[in-house]
Amino acid sequence: MSGGGGASLNSVFYAESYHPIQAGSIDGTDIHPHDNAVYRALLCSNAALYDPFGDPKVIGDPCCTLFVARLSHLTTEHTLRKAMSEYGRVKNLRLVRHIVTGASRGYAFVEFETEKDMRRAYKDAHHSFLDDSEIIVDYNRQHLMPGWIPRRLGGGLGGKKESGQLRFGGRERPFRAPL
């Protein structure tokens, strides 16, 4: 883990690899799962049930791809492409939809032509508004972070307090140095 100062009281740091139990801990020091989702993610991780490279829908360069979340369910591919084009040339875009209903799941993957465009969108589009929803933008951790387990399998980063399943170590909720 890196990204923060030494032992300063309010220092923050980010995970370099994903571990379900540490992601469930505000300071990255937990050693036991504290909720069922963390336990489920740990089982998936230990049993190697998730293969990030096995999804045929995932295409493109992960180093030029961003994960965009908290999208309005009214957001379409066209409006998302238009919004992301402000930061650079969009090469590919995939708005994730429910397999049965076809409704938006509220997140997407946007691939840019260059890493420079991707970094600009990462910096400037985070916490911007699209279709009256404040969106978050992060790297495509599926291929870039070793050990990654997606939210649907109990992993992920971030989350909302109301769910009771906060995850730490990422952009929205970095680890905090132990008190």
Side-chain angles (χ1 to χ4, degrees):
M1 289 173 223
S2 69
S8 70
L9 186 61
N10 292 320
S11 67
V12 297
F13 52 100
Y14 305 100
E16 290 178 356
S17 63
Y18 188 80
H19 190 280
I21 294 177
Q22 288 177 341
S25 168
I26 194 167
D27 59 7
T29 60
D30 283 7
I31 55 172
H32 300 290
H34 68 279
D35 66 38
N36 287 338
V38 170
Y39 184 68
R40 190 171 67 241
L42 186 62
L43 289 176
C44 287
S45 178
N46 290 342
L49 295 177
Y50 176 67
D51 176 16
F53 300 100
D55 186 351
K57 295 177 194 163
V58 177
I59 57 172
D61 181 1
C63 294
C64 293
T65 304
L66 288 177
F67 170 73
V68 182
R70 297 189 189 161
L71 293 169
S72 164
H73 292 284
L74 302 175
T75 300
T76 64
E77 285 88 349
H78 176 73
T79 56
L80 182 59
R81 183 178 295 274
K82 184 177 176 185
M84 291 292 115
S85 293
E86 293 178 21
Y87 308 106
R89 292 177 44 123
V90 174
K91 184 176 181 181
N92 187 31
L93 181 142
R94 182 169 73 107
L95 181 64
V96 178
R97 297 188 172 277
H98 190 277
I99 196 165
V100 175
T101 66
S104 169
R105 300 288 308 254
Y107 66 97
F109 296 92
V110 180
E111 181 187 7
F112 288 89
E113 291 281 338
T114 66
E115 194 171 335
K116 180 181 176 186
D117 292 341
M118 181 274 299
R119 289 190 187 282
R120 181 172 174 230
Y122 175 81
K123 180 178 174 236
D124 296 340
H126 191 57
H127 289 294
S128 64
F129 284 85
L130 180 62
D131 292 337
D132 296 324
S133 288
E134 185 178 11
I135 63 172
I136 62 170
V137 176
D138 204 350
Y139 296 116
N140 178 15
R141 296 186 185 277
Q142 180 175 354
H143 287 127
L144 299 178
M145 182 177 262
W148 178 253
I149 301 289
R151 188 63 150 184
R152 64 186 160 81
L153 297 176
L157 296 173
K160 295 192 175 208
K161 282 184 190 177
E162 299 82 29
S163 72
Q165 295 182 356
L166 293 177
R167 301 291 181 267
F168 299 90
R171 186 176 193 186
E172 282 296 292
R173 299 190 187 289
F175 290 125
R176 303 238 178 248
L179 298 176

